[in-house]
Amino acid sequence: MAKTIGQEFVKGLWEEIPPFRLVLGLCPTLAVTKSVENGIGMGVATTFVLVCANMLVSILSGVIPSRIRIACFIIIIATFVTVVELIMQAYAYQLFLNLGIFIPLIVVNCIVLGRSEAFASKNKLVPSLADGLGIGIGFTLSLTVISAVRESLGTGKLMGAQVFPTSFEPFAFMVEAPGAFICLGLLLCIMNLIGKK
Amino acid sequence: MREMIKMVVVLVVLSSLSGGLLGALKNTTEERIDNQVLKFVKGPAIENILKGADNDPVADRFSLTVGEKENNFFVGVFDGTPKAVAFEAFAGGYGGDLGVMVAVNVKTDEIMGISVTTHNETPGIGATVETDSDFKNQFIGKSAAAAYKVKDDGGDITAMSGATVTSRAVCTAVRRAGDIYEKAKSQIKDQVNNFTG
């Protein structure tokens, strides 16, 4: 278990990248990845919550009695999620409208609670920070990849710019809910193929 | 017993810190969030009817309590003089409340334009009120105090075809806007005339 800070950070980018390796946090993954903009917005919001919650949990882990730790983690996480929600409303209202209910739902994102419980409560501040940042960036990358595939195939555009010739007939199916499952499954399959070598 | 007390203390302290932080953040972002909501939700309707205003009506607003309700009034400056206010009134449509933003010229008490903000009308029938400018243009240049009715009810407004209920709701909302205007006329005029960008 004696990993360096660098390893704690890097593991979130491939070895334990959510939602592919840690198959957690599927609800926002499937729901908001209709466009790259939403995917990145969601990833950044989650990363912020993850890093802050990890840091605070690791600082307070000595004080929090183990029997009520989950309740305490939820208070900490919910606080940061509300912070994100308010800031997003004030400075990025359009994104807030797009992500809608999925912002408050970060509270129950298993990735965040999972990292608090499995990692931050047992580790010191700096490794927890590295872990949160790594997993968060990994999550953001995954969402970006999924949403890039879905948006380009589903609408023929990427961030509003045409990527396929206009003769390309978009698979509108990809931006619907079932398309999210299929896209996630295929990407997971590709990752497993690469990982096997 | 000691553990019990510790649990209670930890939870209480954590919750109150969290509450305090969020309360403070809410206070500091409240004004910005209000502005954003108005800009994205009411903004397009206001821009539509106060076309060519020199200022930003959403930012230059004041509120007055008329009857029991607090209303927002958006000031429009034309050719260097503030001369218009836009405000919202509601009436029951075919599918719930229908909101109409009405712009009134305070110099002549004439309606400068109306625009629908929120509605839940049938798509393709009542919902065409959003885009049907022929219908909405009938109100322009007429007195804010007139009793608007559709022709079926003995008035002089031509209803949108097939959408009499929606047309009626728009007339009612405009009448209510006229009531608000009449009731608070002197206050509104004071506010607009004393308005300095």
Side-chain angles (χ1 to χ4, degrees):
Chain A
M1 269 302 278
K3 283 183 178 169
T4 64
I5 306 296
Q7 281 169 323
E8 294 297 0
F9 174 72
V10 173
K11 76 168 192 281
L13 301 182
W14 179 262
E15 212 182 306
E16 293 183 21
I17 188 169
F20 295 117
R21 281 287 180 269
L22 301 172
V23 189
L24 290 176
L26 289 179
C27 161
T29 308
L30 297 171
V32 304
T33 53
K34 279 181 197 162
S35 72
V36 175
E37 210 181 315
N38 289 0
I40 294 176
M42 187 71 200
V44 171
T46 311
T47 306
F48 172 79
V49 174
L50 202 49
V51 169
C52 295
N54 258 9
M55 283 166 63
L56 206 58
V57 165
S58 84
I59 293 170
L60 295 179
S61 59
V63 190
I64 296 172
S66 68
R67 283 160 131 191
I68 53 161
R69 65 183 190 287
I70 301 291
C72 293
F73 296 164
I74 291 288
I75 295 176
I76 293 169
I77 296 166
T79 307
F80 287 116
V81 170
T82 314
V83 168
V84 168
E85 196 184 358
L86 286 172
I87 290 177
M88 199 178 271
Q89 251 179 308
Y91 295 96
Y93 196 76
Q94 197 55 50
L95 186 64
F96 172 77
L97 287 183
N98 288 344
L99 296 178
I101 184 70
F102 295 101
I103 291 296
L105 279 181
I106 296 175
V107 177
V108 289
N109 187 323
C110 327
I111 298 172
V112 184
L113 187 59
R115 292 330 285 175
S116 293
E117 166 74 4
F119 194 91
S121 61
K122 295 169 194 148
N123 285 280
K124 293 218 165 59
L125 178 63
V126 180
S128 300
L129 171 69
D131 174 78
L133 206 56
I135 299 275
I137 292 174
F139 187 60
T140 309
L141 284 176
S142 310
L143 290 191
T144 311
V145 171
I146 299 172
S147 51
V149 172
R150 290 183 66 194
E151 192 184 356
S152 55
L153 290 179
T155 63
K157 291 179 184 159
L158 213 51
M159 307 280 286
Q162 197 78 29
V163 285
F164 285 112
T166 38
S167 59
F168 171 77
E169 184 68 41
F171 303 116
F173 171 71
M174 287 307 281
V175 287
E176 303 291 335
F181 283 94
I182 290 173
C183 178
L184 182 69
L186 291 175
L187 288 173
L188 195 54
C189 165
I190 294 172
M191 275 197 67
N192 283 340
L193 281 179
I194 298 171
K196 263 187 181 167
K197 280 174 191 165
Chain B
M1 194 58 201
R2 258 186 76 94
E3 205 197 340
M4 195 81 116
I5 294 170
K6 193 183 172 198
M7 286 198 274
V8 172
V9 170
V10 168
L11 270 182
V12 167
V13 171
L14 204 55
S15 320
S16 27
L17 283 180
S18 151
L21 173 77
L22 292 179
L25 187 69
K26 170 106 182 127
N27 274 343
T28 46
T29 52
E30 196 161 29
E31 205 189 319
R32 250 200 97 90
I33 292 177
D34 282 350
N35 271 332
Q36 294 267 352
V37 171
L38 289 172
K39 192 169 144 206
F40 281 94
V41 180
K42 318 266 185 217
I46 296 169
E47 245 163 57
N48 204 359
I49 51 177
L50 292 179
K51 215 173 279 165
D54 305 333
N55 63 332
D56 175 11
V58 177
D60 299 331
R61 62 173 192 271
F62 59 90
S63 65
L64 288 176
T65 309
V66 183
E68 287 169 357
K69 231 180 128 219
E70 198 181 336
N71 294 53
N72 272 319
F73 293 85
F74 304 91
V75 182
V77 178
F78 292 89
D79 303 323
T81 42
K83 65 165 204 178
V85 280
F87 53 99
E88 200 177 15
F90 296 89
Y94 198 73
D97 264 359
L98 181 136
V100 179
M101 186 68 73
V102 180
V104 179
N105 183 332
V106 294
K107 309 281 184 219
T108 59
D109 298 339
E110 278 170 2
I111 292 179
M112 295 174 66
I114 68 167
S115 183
V116 174
T117 50
T118 53
H119 72 85
N120 211 354
E121 304 301 291
T122 322
I125 305 174
T128 48
V129 70
E130 266 177 50
T131 49
D132 191 338
S133 49
D134 285 346
F135 172 72
K136 287 183 282 192
N137 287 346
Q138 294 181 79
F139 295 91
I140 294 178
K142 292 183 180 160
S143 160
Y148 293 102
K149 279 179 183 168
V150 292
K151 279 184 178 157
D152 281 355
D153 300 341
D156 56 358
I157 299 293
T158 310
M160 294 181 294
S161 65
T164 312
V165 177
T166 307
S167 309
R168 220 174 250 155
V170 172
C171 290
T172 312
V174 176
R175 273 207 311 276
R176 287 187 186 154
D179 285 348
I180 294 173
Y181 184 72
E182 287 300 316
K183 270 189 200 146
K185 205 181 213 167
S186 56
Q187 285 161 288
I188 292 174
K189 288 191 175 178
D190 279 352
Q191 287 273 6
V192 174
N193 290 332
N194 297 331
F195 176 78
T196 46

